[in-house]
């Protein structure tokens, strides 16, 4: 399978600060790829580099087989982009706006008629005749995705397309992205884990400008399966949970109502050696200590932290 995006050793530095630090990334053609990271991880910076709005400090970035620093209009015409805060002309209708964007791409009249019709349908805006100024956030975001598709791009880049939306709005935008599977490569940044789990086949996790993990979601969850411990004790689960949370290898600790403790760990070896000692120090009985099943959230928390301690 060929790569729609291939990034090797990408670093982007602002003053002394590495917004991106030696990033390697491969996005296969036809995939829906989620680029996941907490605030400030470098997601927008990467999308700015991919779209040519920022230049790499060092490294090689290829889009559709071409180096981004040498991308010309013929390559740009094969890429669609939705920025984190898209701009619209509030006095236009959705149809007028799509026609306006289409004319910027010099799309011929007949093709444009067909595309506008199809994209209004995809965005659920066919029967909406009001101007964009009166649109809800969700409607605007669906229109934003539609405008990014007006040139029938091979590669669609989106910066946090769902972050400002309510659950219904998120679902509608994610459904739009899902409908592109296999036809268009979709690469989007987000900090919402559930969105990635719902639509993506592949994910990269970014933290402080570095890619800390990437791969198919099921591969990641099994690769990091050794990162979760389920612990059951006879009593004092709350205090034991607090003791464990103070350990440097404990990424997150959750004590359930039945006293079962779920721990996401960054170092399983250290956890295995220390947990029995902490249990003994509390003079409590150990009923169960076993590896737990990992979801994407557990992988994310064990790699990035996440403030859940
Ligand atoms: N133009 C700039 N000048 C200086 N520093 C910048 C600039 N753009 C980004 N940064 C810094 O680079 C880091 C990464 O920022 P970026 O906006 O790419 O993160 P992000 O993952 O998109 O975050 P968020 O989810 O909050 O949008 C941050 O520490 C940010 O302050």
């Amino acid at each position: 399978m060929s790569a729609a995006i291939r990034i090797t050793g990408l670093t982007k530095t602002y003053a002394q600060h590495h917004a991106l630090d030696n990033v390697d990334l491969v996005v296969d053609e036809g995939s829906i790829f989620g680029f996941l990271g907490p605030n400030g991880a470098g997601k927008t910076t990467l999308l700015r580099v991919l779209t040519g709005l920022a230049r790499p400090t060092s490294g090689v970035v290829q889009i559709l087989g071409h180096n981004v620093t040498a991308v010309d209009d013929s390559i740009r015409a094969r890429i669609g982009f939705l920025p984190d805060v898209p701009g619209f002309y509030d006095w236009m209708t959705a149809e007028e706006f799509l026609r306006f964007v289409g004319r910027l791409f010099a799309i011929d009249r007949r093709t444009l008629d067909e595309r506008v019709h199809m994209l209004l349908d995809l965005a659920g805006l066919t029967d909406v005749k009001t101007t964009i100024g009166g649109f809800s956030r969700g409607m605007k975001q669906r229109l934003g995705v539609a405008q990014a598709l007006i040139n029938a791009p091979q590669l669609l880049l989106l910066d946090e397309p769902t972050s400002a939306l309510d659950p219904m709005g998120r679902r509608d935008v994610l459904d739009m992205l899902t409908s592109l599977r296999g036809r268009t490569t979709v690469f989007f940044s987000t900090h919402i884990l559930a969105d990635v789990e719902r639509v993506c086949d592949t994910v990269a996790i970014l933290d402080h400008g570095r890619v800390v993990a990437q791969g198919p979601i099921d591969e990641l969850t099994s690769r990091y399966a050794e990162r979760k411990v389920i612990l059951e004790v006879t009593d004092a689960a709350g205090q034991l949970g607090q003791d464990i949370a103070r350990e440097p290898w404990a990424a997150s600790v959750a004590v359930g109502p039945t006293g079962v403790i779920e721990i996401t760990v960054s170092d399983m070896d250290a956890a295995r050696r220390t947990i029995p000692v902490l249990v003994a120090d509390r003079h409590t009985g150990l009923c169960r200590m076993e590896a737990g099943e990992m979801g994407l959230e557990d992988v994310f928390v064990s790699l990035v932290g996440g403030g859940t301690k």
Side-chain angles (χ1 to χ4, degrees):
M1 198 184 286
S2 53
I5 299 173
R6 186 179 296 278
I7 298 173
T8 315
L10 169 64
T11 294
K12 175 68 188 176
T13 307
Y14 292 110
Q16 302 300 320
H17 177 69
H18 286 334
L20 295 170
D21 190 359
N22 201 21
V23 167
D24 293 329
L25 203 69
V26 176
V27 178
D28 287 332
E29 247 174 43
S31 62
I32 300 188
F33 194 105
F35 191 51
L36 190 61
N39 289 339
K43 303 182 296 294
T44 298
T45 303
L46 183 83
L47 279 157
R48 284 174 57 79
V49 170
L50 286 173
T51 50
L53 296 170
R55 291 180 77 84
T57 305
S58 60
V60 178
V61 180
Q62 287 186 317
I63 286 199
L64 304 175
H66 297 260
N67 204 315
V68 273
T69 48
V71 156
D72 60 20
D73 285 349
S74 67
I75 306 299
R76 254 179 231 117
R78 291 158 58 194
I79 299 168
F81 178 50
L82 178 66
D84 52 350
V85 187
F88 299 101
Y89 293 116
D90 281 353
W91 64 88
M92 289 184 182
T93 63
E95 178 171 345
E96 285 165 349
F97 185 70
L98 289 179
R99 287 188 183 282
F100 166 75
V101 178
R103 283 194 291 272
L104 295 179
F105 279 98
I107 297 169
D108 70 77
R109 177 73 191 262
R110 223 177 113 197
T111 311
L112 188 56
D113 282 348
E114 281 169 19
R115 292 239 179 103
V116 167
H117 184 263
M118 184 270 288
L119 289 171
L120 285 173
D121 185 44
L122 181 71
L125 296 172
T126 303
D127 298 324
V128 179
K129 302 298 173 206
T130 49
T131 55
I132 298 168
F135 280 18
S136 67
R137 272 188 175 171
M139 291 162 81
K140 281 188 178 170
Q141 204 65 344
R142 291 189 329 258
L143 178 61
V145 176
Q147 67 78 32
L149 290 169
I150 197 74
N151 54 327
Q154 223 175 314
L155 171 63
L156 178 62
L157 306 169
L158 310 106
D159 193 358
E160 306 227 14
T162 56
S163 62
L165 303 180
D166 62 20
M168 298 289 278
R170 276 173 48 211
R171 189 200 57 197
D172 292 341
V173 167
L174 294 174
D175 285 350
M176 281 181 86
L177 300 184
T178 309
S179 74
L180 303 172
R181 190 186 301 279
R183 289 184 288 150
T184 305
T185 308
V186 178
F187 180 87
F188 73 96
S189 68
T190 183
H191 60 264
I192 305 173
L193 279 148
D195 288 0
V196 170
E197 273 187 312
R198 188 153 159 183
V199 300
C200 295
D201 27 69
T202 324
V203 64
I205 299 176
L206 190 74
D207 186 34
H208 292 98
R210 287 172 169 267
V211 173
V212 290
Q214 69 175 299
I217 292 179
D218 47 358
E219 219 175 78
L220 277 192
T221 48
S222 59
R223 193 189 311 164
Y224 293 95
E226 276 282 283
R227 294 282 181 107
K228 190 163 183 178
V229 177
I230 311 285
L231 192 65
E232 205 175 335
V233 286
T234 49
D235 49 293
Q239 291 102 316
L240 182 61
Q242 287 171 15
D243 297 343
I244 294 170
R246 279 192 284 274
E247 293 293 324
W249 43 261
S252 76
V253 179
V255 182
T258 56
V260 174
I261 308 172
E262 285 195 16
I263 312 150
T264 315
V265 306
S266 56
D267 180 345
M268 183 56 104
D269 198 42
R272 280 204 185 105
R273 276 183 284 113
T274 318
I275 289 171
V277 178
L278 295 175
V279 172
D281 285 350
R282 279 278 162 202
H283 303 290
T284 179
L286 180 59
C287 308
R288 174 159 74 111
M289 178 172 157
E290 63 188 29
E293 278 195 12
M294 293 287 275
L296 185 61
E297 182 168 357
D298 300 310
V299 174
F300 185 81
V301 168
S302 81
L303 292 170
V304 176
T308 54
K309 273 169 84 168

